[in-house]
Amino acid sequence: MSRPICIVGTGYVGMASMLGLADLGWKVHGYDIVPERVDRLRRGIPPYREPKLPELLQHHIEHRNVHFFDSIEEAASGSQVVIIAVGTPSRDDGSADLSAVRAAVEMLAHVQFATWPTIVLRSTVPPGTTDSLSALVAPWGNLIYAPEFLREGSAVHDFLNPDRIVVGSATPAEAVPYVTLLERLQKPVVFTSRSNAELIKCCSNAYLALKISFANEVANLCGAFGATSDDVLRGIGYDQRIGPHFLRPGIGFGGPCFEKDVKSVEFVSAQYGLGEGLFSATLRVNEGQPGRVIRILEEEIGSFAGTTIGVWGLAFKANTDDIRDSLALRIVDELGRRGAKMLVYDPAVHVAPLPVGSRLVTSALEAARADALLVLTEWPQFARIDPTAYASGIARRVVVDGRNVLDADRVVAAGLIYRGIGRSGPSATERRTSLASALTV
Ligand code: UDX
């Protein structure tokens, strides 16, 4: 296929699809409704942070594999495949706001296509959406649904290394132009209906979210029981039917996808008289998790009024500067309401709405000059800082590790009180010592 592929929307799904397809040897046109964004992209400035993204973007611009447009006609008219990757945020009632998807389809309806186009919807939408939009497309093209399973921070890598490719279409033949683009990946393809593909997407995310809530429940139980969640979850994850992924306990899942997707499945289920079970429980556990972390800190330092809390991490996860629906931000807000001031350090976040009196600082050690230290994002570099470098700065000696990323033994050895999520059992050193003495009996 020599025609360029057009991508509508240059968020992380659109950009990952664009650069991934360019890596596979296709020419790609990117369109965005925000002209300043297009302008920055033309100059090689990515719209969000991801390792290796600037280099990759620069490479494909220089090799003329990608072009950016602020006119949909110019971007799409020569394409046979047009991918829609625009946002579908949650409304207050949990339903998905599909106005950007609808606007994209309506815009494309006015394009004078040189050939009959295949329109590929990649935004996450509730089941039934693609079928209901297909009437708008039928007079001038085919509409199919191809969900993405891309994680922020590794989206291009995930695009090029999918576990499976899912494509939903009215007939198998309609899926072919899109699947042909990805042939070189040699991955299993699930050909199915459009509604099935939509359900695969939102239920996959609901399951991953459920797994995190399960890990948090287990870790909370470990904390109450005096057990060690690291060992318990590792032991569970070794069972190949369960698997080790998405069993990291912490402050709960954040970001623009999981909460929104589970809410959306719950909303649709409720319309069919279902959904009061697992979907609701997944969200309930997640909503409770920030409060648990705050309570652990409170147990150690008492009232927050007049305290200064050092915070490591604000992004909703490591390797991104995204603070959308970040539970770290929710915790910081709540601490601010209770009278604490925060010194916040995140390696990637340089602007954030913080409570009055709190501020972003430029180093982890600067943030740690406080009454207590709270770790809220799982940046691996936090674990690499020697605790003796910050121990003396923490006036009340307390470290609450909301992501279980620090080495508890090293923190304690530096003279600090360490609390993690379900990490109240004996420390690794104590376990090794008692194991050694048991073996010598
Ligand atoms: C997610 C899905 O993984 C991806 O397939 C989908 O298409 C988009 O949504 P993303 O939101 O980028 O990707 O991040 P992910 O790595 O899945 O993490 C989501 C949240 O869960 C983060 O806040 C992360 O810190 C948290 N998390 C993840 C845990 O708390 N524990 C875990 O074990 C894994």
Side-chain angles (χ1 to χ4, degrees):
M1 197 187 311
S2 55
R3 293 184 175 280
I5 299 146
C6 173
I7 304 209
V8 178
T10 59
Y12 85 100
V13 175
M15 285 302 291
S17 305
M18 170 177 300
L19 297 173
L21 287 166
D23 259 17
L24 292 174
W26 305 106
K27 299 277 179 219
V28 194
H29 286 180
Y31 165 80
D32 204 285
I33 200 165
V34 183
E36 299 80 52
R37 198 164 165 129
V38 173
D39 190 47
R40 286 163 64 85
L41 280 163
R42 281 179 182 150
R43 288 185 282 132
I45 306 168
Y48 60 94
R49 180 194 156 102
E50 179 162 317
K52 301 200 191 102
L53 191 66
E55 298 84 341
L56 204 56
L57 177 60
Q58 204 62 54
H59 170 86
H60 286 302
I61 290 174
E62 276 166 20
H63 288 79
R64 307 186 62 76
N65 298 329
V66 298
H67 293 88
F68 296 97
F69 297 85
D70 52 16
S71 149
I72 188 79
E73 180 69 35
E74 281 177 47
S77 55
S79 299
Q80 193 195 341
V81 176
V82 179
I83 295 172
I84 298 178
V86 297
T88 50
S90 265
R91 292 204 194 89
D92 288 345
D93 64 0
S95 64
D97 177 354
L98 300 171
S99 50
V101 171
R102 195 169 276 279
V105 170
E106 281 164 3
M107 234 168 16
L108 289 167
H110 292 101
V111 170
Q112 297 295 316
F113 284 100
T115 179
W116 188 260
T118 297
I119 310 300
V120 188
L121 184 55
R122 296 214 82 196
S123 312
T124 300
V125 292
T129 305
T130 318
D131 279 349
S132 72
L133 288 171
S134 66
L136 294 175
V137 178
W140 51 271
N142 294 337
L143 183 63
I144 69 172
Y145 185 69
E148 50 81 16
F149 302 96
L150 313 171
R151 290 162 302 175
E152 283 191 36
S154 58
V156 181
H157 171 272
D158 291 350
F159 182 91
L160 292 168
N161 300 278
D163 292 331
R164 76 305 207 186
I165 293 157
V166 175
V167 52
S169 52
T171 64
E174 289 186 9
V176 171
Y178 177 69
V179 173
T180 306
L181 303 178
L182 305 174
E183 235 161 23
R184 270 187 53 200
L185 295 178
Q186 301 207 315
K187 294 292 177 182
V189 181
V190 180
F191 289 96
T192 186
S193 73
R194 295 185 287 217
S195 300
N196 287 350
E198 290 163 337
L199 275 165
I200 290 169
K201 166 64 199 217
C202 54
C203 294
S204 296
N205 270 2
Y207 181 73
L208 292 170
L210 168 76
K211 238 181 143 184
I212 298 170
S213 279
F214 173 80
N216 283 329
E217 279 281 80
V218 170
N220 296 339
L221 173 62
C222 290
F225 192 73
T228 313
S229 62
D230 306 51
D231 289 1
V232 172
L233 288 164
R234 191 157 47 91
I236 294 171
Y238 266 119
D239 187 323
Q240 289 190 16
R241 294 167 299 175
I242 298 171
H245 306 293
F246 282 72
L247 281 182
R248 274 187 289 110
I251 64 170
F253 54 79
C257 293
F258 278 172
E259 189 181 350
K260 177 194 82 163
D261 292 351
V262 185
K263 277 188 177 160
S264 166
V265 192
E266 189 195 32
F267 182 84
V268 175
S269 300
Q271 291 177 325
Y272 292 90
L274 303 163
E276 283 300 310
L278 281 179
F279 302 138
S280 313
T282 298
L283 293 167
R284 207 167 50 243
V285 171
N286 201 53
E287 275 149 23
Q289 210 59 16
R292 287 181 181 276
V293 177
I294 291 172
R295 270 199 300 284
I296 294 173
L297 183 59
E298 199 173 21
E299 278 165 21
E300 296 299 336
I301 68 166
S303 160
F304 295 119
T307 58
T308 301
I309 309 294
V311 174
W312 282 0
L314 207 55
F316 83 92
K317 65 174 194 176
N319 286 322
T320 177
D321 57 359
D322 198 343
I323 53 170
R324 283 177 296 168
D325 288 312
S326 166
L327 294 185
L329 206 51
R330 256 182 243 175
I331 291 173
V332 164
D333 273 349
E334 179 59 22
L335 291 175
R337 257 193 300 278
R338 300 218 211 156
K341 290 188 170 60
M342 268 73 60
L343 296 175
V344 183
Y345 172 69
D346 187 290
V349 179
H350 306 302
V351 187
L354 295 177
V356 179
S358 298
R359 62 192 171 89
L360 283 162
V361 296
T362 53
S363 84
L365 294 183
E366 191 181 348
R369 282 196 281 275
D371 289 306
L373 177 64
L374 189 55
V375 182
L376 297 181
T377 307
E378 66 275 34
W379 286 100
Q381 50 266 57
F382 293 155
R384 293 197 287 268
I385 304 171
D386 184 344
T388 57
Y390 53 82
S392 61
I394 304 178
R396 313 269 291 266
R397 320 298 295 160
V398 173
V399 176
V400 174
D401 181 0
R403 296 290 197 158
N404 287 2
V405 284
L406 304 183
D407 181 331
D409 292 343
R410 288 178 71 204
V411 174
V412 172
L416 294 163
I417 299 162
Y418 175 88
R419 296 284 305 271
I421 309 299
R423 275 183 158 184
S424 55
S427 73
T429 313
E430 281 174 54
R431 282 200 307 277
R432 274 194 299 275
T433 316
S434 59
L435 180 65
S437 54
L439 290 172
T440 52
V441 172

